[in-house]
């Protein structure tokens, strides 16, 4: 079972964000009981985290899994941005270190 940047939904279910640098696409692996149980983005061509987030609940429903909470959606969004890398990920990493700069308090 992968660990890295996984989002645990319960003790048996986790989502693992993945970025394919060759195809430049995002996907989310669904793992249940330590085994792969599906991939959201295997057929679709997701190039931006919003593409994944807009359709993840439908994928989970088809897999018999509950919809994500707001907190889980936020965490998945961050992990997708981190997995993809680039300027958005760099800015996201800088935010906790310099919140006043991003909040316009300087």
């Amino acid at each position: 079972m992968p660990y890295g940047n996984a989002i645990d939904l319960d003790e048996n279910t986790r989502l693992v964000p993945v970025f394919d640098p060759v195809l430049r696409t995002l996907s989310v692996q669904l793992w249940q009981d330590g085994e792969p149980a599906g991939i959201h983005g295997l057929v679709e061509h997701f190039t931006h985290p919003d593409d994944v987030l807009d359709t993840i609940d439908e994928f989970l429903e088809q897999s018999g899994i509950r919809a994500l909470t707001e907190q889980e959606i936020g965490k998945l969004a961050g992990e997708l941005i981190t997995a993809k890398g680039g300027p958005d990920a760099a800015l996201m990493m800088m935010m906790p270190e310099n919140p006043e700069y991003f909040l316009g308090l300087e």
Side-chain angles (χ1 to χ4, degrees):
M1 179 182 260
Y3 288 93
N5 296 328
I7 291 102
D8 292 324
L9 301 183
D10 59 40
E11 62 271 356
N12 300 317
T13 308
R14 65 181 10 186
L15 300 175
V16 180
V18 177
F19 176 68
D20 183 324
V22 174
L23 297 175
R24 307 232 9 106
T25 59
L26 292 160
S27 61
V28 176
Q29 297 175 351
L30 171 64
W31 288 72
Q32 291 185 292
D33 300 317
E35 300 291 326
I39 300 176
H40 181 50
L42 185 62
V43 177
E44 303 87 355
H45 188 79
F46 297 135
T47 57
H48 192 272
D50 286 344
D51 301 334
V52 177
L53 299 173
D54 288 345
T55 55
I56 189 72
D57 284 340
E58 182 181 334
F59 165 76
L60 292 172
E61 182 182 328
Q62 292 171 355
S63 302
I65 309 290
R66 65 169 173 78
L68 298 180
T69 65
E70 280 189 37
Q71 183 178 5
E72 290 165 339
I73 289 169
K75 184 171 182 181
L76 180 58
E79 295 299 344
L80 287 164
I81 291 168
T82 300
K84 187 174 182 181
D88 290 340
L91 284 172
M92 194 173 77
M93 298 279 202
M94 290 170 48
M95 265 194 266
E97 297 169 11
N98 303 298
E100 63 282 347
Y101 176 76
F102 292 94
L103 296 174
L105 301 176
E106 280 193 343

